[in-house]
Amino acid sequence: MAEAEYRWHVPADHPAFPGHFPQRPIVPGVVLLDRAILFAEEMLGRPGLAWQVGNAKFFSPVGPEEALTFLLNQKPSGAIAFTVRADDRDVAAGSLTPPAP
């Protein structure tokens, strides 16, 4: 089973920020899920899959310019478990299920 670690620095000018709390911008959860999916596809070498989100939990808000680490771990079922960390805090976690072959 595959394991991988990816880093993503949240750009201050990310297009989600203006509409997601202009006074205190935070990264929407869907952006974190999208990043996890992109990294899962890169890890598997299979872009453009129709992923399903098995579950997702968001623990801590992420702001502009934060450095995130995505830890991905493929399970025997083919699902990808992911954890997102910013420094010493967990930001999000969940699982992604790829379509059946």
Side-chain angles (χ1 to χ4, degrees), residues 52-73:
Q52 292 182 347
V53 177
N55 61 64
K57 296 193 185 282
F58 303 95
F59 308 116
S60 178
V62 175
E65 299 294 328
E66 286 202 64
L68 302 178
T69 301
F70 287 72
L71 306 166
L72 282 70
N73 183 346

Side-chain angles (χ1 to χ4, degrees), residues 55-97:
N55 61 64
K57 296 193 185 282
F58 303 95
F59 308 116
S60 178
V62 175
E65 299 294 328
E66 286 202 64
L68 302 178
T69 301
F70 287 72
L71 306 166
L72 282 70
N73 183 346
Q74 186 178 28
K75 302 298 182 185
S77 66
I80 305 288
F82 68 88
T83 302
V84 184
R85 296 189 53 80
D87 293 323
D88 61 349
R89 75 183 201 277
D90 284 344
V91 170
S95 66
L96 305 169
T97 304

